[in-house]
């Protein structure tokens, strides 16, 4: 469950995903299939099995799920935009999870209570948020590999403090890839680094940050497919607050201080 809103629009309907024809071009590893749609090539896993959970699973230490799909059942949540939904996984400070697929309904995905590492995690249909980061000002979070699709609003919600690195990731059909909370009751300076990420339209924004708290977003190695008109915003700037009010958007694009990238960091195909 995300804490408060984030500068997203009030529209809460889930997007309808256009099903595009694709051709399977071969197995690249056990459980992995390469699929191609037009010029885009992405690797998504095939689940070994599916587990339905009716309560949040607490994770500490390191756990490798071996490409099992987990989805929500019972009263966990329907994967819509209600903020009363529960996370499928809650990670203790310092926890790492690997090789897991979050199926539908995804409820409120994953919560990190402190620093955490998500390796090769795949969200087939993002629920309220894919992951919410809730650690303190010195927390470090890493998302390495994996992907997310069908996020009507946010993929990654940063409610706590610290630094999030998103790398080697695939995202498609989304609202925002990353949002620094715009109106949480406790606010922080937040840092996000987004590198080697493949983006497939439709989408709205890669990162939304709050300049009045000193947030920064740094981008490199971004490849965007299917957005010839360049409608996807790379970086939006807001004035955040702790009152719960809707944050005010103040600008978009690189500025060298808060939104850090140049045209050479973004490739369109």
């Amino acid at each position: 469950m995300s804490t408060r809103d984030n500068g997203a629009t009030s529209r809460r309907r889930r997007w309808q995903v256009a099903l595009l024809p694709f051709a399977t071009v071969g197995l690249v590893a056990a459980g992995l299939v390469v699929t191609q749609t037009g010029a885009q090539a992405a690797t998504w896993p095939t689940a070994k099995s599916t587990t339905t959970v009716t309560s949040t699973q607490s994770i500490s230490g390191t756990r490798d799920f071996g490409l099992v799909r987990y989805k929500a059942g019972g009263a966990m949540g329907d994967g819509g935009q209600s903020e009363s939904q529960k996370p499928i996984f809650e990670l203790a400070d310092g926890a790492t999870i690997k090789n897991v697929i979050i199926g539908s309904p995804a409820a409120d995905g994953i919560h990190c209570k402190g620093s955490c590492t998500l390796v090769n995690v795949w969200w087939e249909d993002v629920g309220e948020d894919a992951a919410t980061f809730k650690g303190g000002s010195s927390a470090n979070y890493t998302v390495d590999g994996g992907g997310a699709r069908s996020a009507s609003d946010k993929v990654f919600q940063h409610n706590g403090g610290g630094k999030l690195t998103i790398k080697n990731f695939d995202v498609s059909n989304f609202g925002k890839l990353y949002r620094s909370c715009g109106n949480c009751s406790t606010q922080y300076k937040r840092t996000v680094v987004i590198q080697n990420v493949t983006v497939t339209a439709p989408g709205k924004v890669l990162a939304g940050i709050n300049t009045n708290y000193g947030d920064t977003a740094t981008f490199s190695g971004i490849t965007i497919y299917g957005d010839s008109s360049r409608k996807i915003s790379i970086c939006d700037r807001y004035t955040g607050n702790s009152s719960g009010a809707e944050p005010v958007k103040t600008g978009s694009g690189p500025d060298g201080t808060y939104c850090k990238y140049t045209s050479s960091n973004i490739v369109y195909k």
Side-chain angles (χ1 to χ4, degrees), residues 117-229:
T117 302
L118 312 180
V119 179
N120 200 35
V121 178
W122 302 84
W123 290 264
E124 294 179 324
D125 187 341
V126 173
E128 185 191 349
D129 301 314
T132 303
F133 303 96
K134 307 174 76 172
S137 58
S138 61
N140 279 285
Y141 324 94
T142 300
V143 176
D144 188 358
R149 56 194 181 198
S150 303
S152 62
D153 194 357
K154 299 164 269 76
V155 178
F156 297 122
Q157 174 74 22
H158 197 165
N159 287 349
K163 177 182 179 181
L164 169 62
T165 300
I166 305 165
K167 59 184 180 179
N168 310 316
F169 196 75
D170 183 270
V171 63
S172 60
N173 193 10
F174 63 101
K176 291 182 176 71
L177 173 60
Y178 168 89
R179 182 62 169 108
S180 172
C181 185
N183 53 13
C184 285
S185 57
T186 301
Q187 290 287 26
Y188 300 86
K189 175 182 178 179
R190 305 180 180 102
T191 301
V192 64
V193 175
I194 301 175
Q195 58 189 44
N196 299 329
V197 170
T198 299
V199 180
T200 303
K204 291 185 177 180
V205 183
L206 293 191
I209 60 174
N210 308 308
T211 58
N212 57 313
Y213 297 122
D215 292 356
T216 62
T218 304
F219 304 81
S220 63
I222 309 299
T223 303
I224 300 179
Y225 290 92
D227 187 28
S228 58
S229 58

Side-chain angles (χ1 to χ4, degrees), residues 59 89-93 95-97 110-114 116-118:
I59 307 294
F89 297 114
E90 184 175 71
L91 276 59
D93 187 22
T96 296
I97 61 172
I110 296 171
H111 285 190
C112 287
K113 297 176 69 176
C116 67
T117 302
L118 312 180

Side-chain angles (χ1 to χ4, degrees), residues 55-77:
S55 62
T56 298
Q57 308 296 294
S58 297
I59 307 294
S60 59
T62 298
R63 184 167 174 184
D64 189 329
F65 288 86
L67 291 178
V68 171
R69 176 190 290 115
Y70 278 74
K71 64 180 184 177
M76 295 282 288

Side-chain angles (χ1 to χ4, degrees), residues 197-199 206 220-227 230 234 261-269:
V197 170
T198 299
V199 180
L206 293 191
S220 63
I222 309 299
T223 303
I224 300 179
Y225 290 92
D227 187 28
R230 304 192 180 189
I234 305 302
Y261 65 97
T262 66
S263 59
S264 64
N265 299 129
I266 316 296
V267 175
Y268 292 86
K269 292 188 175 180

